[in-house]
Amino acid sequence: MFFKRNIKLGISFNSFHTFKEVAEVWRHILPENHHLQCRDIEALESTMPEDIAFKYVNIYQNGELIGVMYLQCLNFNSKHYHHEVLDRPVLKHLKSYILGKSADILVCGNIFRVNFQGFYFKDKKQRELIFDCLNLYRQEMKPEKNFCGILVKDCSRAFQSTQFTCHGFKSFSQDLSMEMTIRSNWVDFEDYLGDLSRKYKQRANKIIKSKEQIRVLDMGVEDLERENERINELYMNIVRKQTLAMGILKSDYFIQMKKGLGAGFKVFGYYKDDQLLAFSSHIYYFPKSAMEIHYIGLDYAHNATYNLYFNLLFDGIRTAIELKLKTIEMGRTAREAKANAGAYAVENYNYVWIRGGIFRWALEGMGRWFENGIGEDWKKRQPFRTSHENLAKTAVEPAQQH
């Protein structure tokens, strides 16, 4: 698909439906080990998540390739949010109407990942062109998709307001993710426990002890195939408790990720006898000395007895220490639980354009409801005996994410 519209800027696009169609071009323009040419993009594409279409876009200026965009076209509907969110002033009168509607949203980035900027320009001085490019792309796609909103997700650094407001975009400052720094003195997990204050150490030991009857299995492809239905059931338990679930994975996602990433992706199954009660997936970024606690699943009927959720977090920390990694990305939800383990909040730089009308009211209402539901208690958690000089994260743009 070829678009050309903006004569003044000389911008044109080539748009494709599969990663294979752009793999060779992207390999030449992107830096080595850049996340936009990693194997998990293909793994996600192969699972064909419900309500999402993928677009891989080459950006040209006056015929020269200057950058690329990774886009996800999301059909946002009533499966993606708790219906209670509509029981708010103004929105509650429109609840039945809104529940029957869907809206197409253009996402630049990956709604299933954190810190996954969806664009790259060879010349970083041109990065603000992303707003021109997305507006042009939206206009050219109107015959096929009439997008109600655009989300520019997880930018590597903030834009100046003059760079995006002129295009009708707003910054979205409410989006925080939780990260944890692995301290240099943590040779093993006992060192981590030793840095906790007395109260938090006692709590951690109690949680770990409750796991004594649980067997943890590093699951291979055959294990994931055998437990496919159960893994999906446990994953959906988490999805149903979320206020907003922008994307919902299909059950074979974990199988495809394991096949695609190999040792760079692991799923740990938590068993009581032969019953799978929980799982936790990790993605390892060895060149960056980092890991991500990715998607998890829980049987809530057994969560309190075995402290499954907290043990997933502790085991993630243990793994990072054993692998001598420096940071853990823990995701956006359950801030208080992660703060109790020692994680801190990091701001994500997101920008949104929303078409006016009922859809804007609904989305803004959902955003406020989501933020109010999180609360502020997580900010009070100070689990360590002493502060750490590197605990506060400074946002620095990675050289490869122009």
Side-chain angles (χ1 to χ4, degrees):
M1 190 181 299
F2 183 77
F3 302 136
K4 186 168 183 178
R5 184 180 180 91
N6 193 303
I7 304 299
K8 182 179 179 181
L9 292 174
I11 297 293
S12 59
F13 309 119
N14 269 346
S15 181
F16 302 90
H17 298 287
T18 66
F19 182 73
K20 285 183 179 179
E21 295 174 280
V22 299
E24 188 64 20
V25 172
W26 286 25
R27 185 173 66 84
H28 284 95
I29 190 175
L30 294 169
E32 187 177 0
N33 296 320
H34 193 279
H35 61 272
L36 287 179
Q37 58 177 338
C38 60
R39 289 172 294 175
D40 52 331
I41 285 182
E42 277 192 285
L44 175 60
E45 178 192 303
S46 68
T47 66
M48 295 184 292
E50 204 170 337
D51 302 318
I52 293 177
F54 301 99
K55 301 290 183 181
Y56 306 87
V57 183
N58 298 331
I59 306 170
Y60 298 86
Q61 188 171 45
N62 299 320
E64 178 188 353
L65 181 66
I66 62 168
V68 300
M69 295 189 295
Y70 173 67
L71 307 177
Q72 296 178 344
C73 305
L74 169 67
N75 181 254
F76 186 77
N77 55 63
S78 60
K79 291 181 292 187
H80 297 110
Y81 56 89
H82 255 311
H83 297 172
E84 292 176 9
V85 76
L86 299 177
D87 294 326
R88 316 298 295 170
V90 181
L91 290 180
K92 64 182 179 180
H93 300 295
L94 303 170
K95 182 174 181 177
S96 60
Y97 175 79
I98 294 174
L99 286 175
K101 296 295 180 179
S102 65
D104 291 314
I105 301 174
L106 183 63
V107 180
C108 182
N110 190 342
I111 59 179
F112 299 104
R113 296 289 290 277
V114 178
N115 297 329
F116 201 98
Q117 179 175 279
F119 63 90
Y120 174 84
F121 289 94
K122 286 193 293 185
D123 182 354
K124 63 181 180 181
K125 294 178 182 177
Q126 291 186 301
R127 67 192 297 267
E128 66 182 273
L129 282 177
I130 188 60
F131 300 106
D132 285 293
C133 291
L134 289 169
N135 268 331
L136 291 172
Y137 192 87
R138 173 180 65 86
Q139 292 165 18
E140 294 292 351
M141 285 289 288
K142 276 185 178 180
E144 181 182 340
K145 292 278 188 183
N146 189 14
F147 291 107
C148 293
I150 302 175
L151 169 62
V152 189
K153 185 176 178 289
D154 294 339
C155 297
S156 59
R157 70 172 188 267
F159 286 93
Q160 296 177 7
S161 60
T162 54
Q163 294 175 320
F164 60 85
T165 54
C166 61
H167 299 285
F169 283 80
K170 294 181 179 180
S171 63
F172 182 72
S173 59
Q174 297 173 324
D175 185 26
L176 303 174
S177 59
M178 302 298 287
E179 290 189 10
M180 185 169 181
T181 298
I182 302 301
R183 299 186 178 187
S184 58
N185 64 301
W186 294 349
V187 177
D188 55 32
F189 189 70
E190 290 301 316
D191 292 327
Y192 161 76
L193 292 175
D195 271 358
L196 294 176
S197 67
R198 183 171 178 271
K199 170 186 172 183
Y200 284 91
K201 184 176 181 180
Q202 288 179 339
R203 175 180 174 275
N205 284 327
K206 183 178 179 181
I207 288 170
I208 294 165
K209 185 174 177 60
S210 69
K211 200 188 76 171
E212 288 179 346
Q213 297 181 46
I214 299 296
R215 173 174 60 93
V216 181
L217 174 66
D218 183 353
M219 304 180 78
V221 172
E222 290 185 0
D223 301 308
L224 294 171
E225 290 174 340
R226 184 184 66 253
E227 297 282 13
N228 189 26
E229 290 187 12
R230 178 60 172 166
I231 286 173
N232 187 59
E233 179 185 351
L234 298 175
Y235 162 71
M236 289 304 299
N237 287 344
I238 301 291
V239 171
R240 294 187 189 100
K241 283 187 172 289
Q242 292 178 340
T243 306
L244 291 173
M246 292 285 284
I248 300 174
L249 295 168
K250 285 193 173 180
S251 59
D252 63 339
Y253 171 78
F254 302 97
I255 298 170
Q256 297 302 323
M257 287 287 283
K258 185 63 181 175
K259 287 180 178 179
L261 275 67
F265 179 78
K266 289 196 174 186
V267 180
F268 295 96
Y270 289 68
Y271 285 85
K272 176 63 170 72
D273 300 324
D274 293 326
Q275 185 182 14
L276 182 64
L277 301 184
F279 74 87
S280 179
S281 60
H282 297 172
I283 300 177
Y284 304 109
Y285 309 99
F286 293 114
K288 298 180 180 179
S289 193
M291 66 170 275
E292 175 185 332
I293 298 179
H294 196 42
Y295 285 96
I296 68 168
L298 292 175
D299 185 333
Y300 283 101
H302 299 278
N303 186 43
T305 302
Y306 302 110
N307 284 295
L308 294 170
Y309 182 76
F310 292 109
N311 273 304
L312 300 186
L313 294 181
F314 285 139
D315 286 348
I317 296 169
R318 187 193 306 272
T319 297
I321 294 171
E322 291 174 351
L323 293 176
K324 303 186 185 307
L325 303 177
K326 294 180 180 179
T327 59
I328 308 175
E329 170 58 59
M330 292 185 170
R332 290 171 160 87
T333 59
R335 292 179 192 171
E336 185 172 355
K338 292 163 185 174
N340 279 332
Y344 52 89
V346 176
E347 182 179 0
N348 298 297
Y349 302 115
N350 302 321
Y351 301 88
V352 295
W353 170 86
I354 305 174
R355 197 170 66 199
I358 291 176
F359 182 67
R360 176 180 288 179
W361 292 349
L363 274 189
E364 290 177 349
M366 289 177 188
R368 287 190 295 271
W369 194 85
F370 174 75
E371 190 64 22
N372 292 336
I374 291 174
E376 300 289 324
D377 286 348
W378 62 275
K379 295 181 180 179
K380 305 173 186 177
R381 306 306 174 191
Q382 300 291 337
F384 294 115
R385 290 186 292 110
T386 57
S387 62
H388 188 272
E389 65 274 14
N390 294 323
L391 196 58
K393 180 179 174 68
T394 301
V396 178
E397 180 196 21
Q400 64 180 26
Q401 289 197 28
H402 302 163

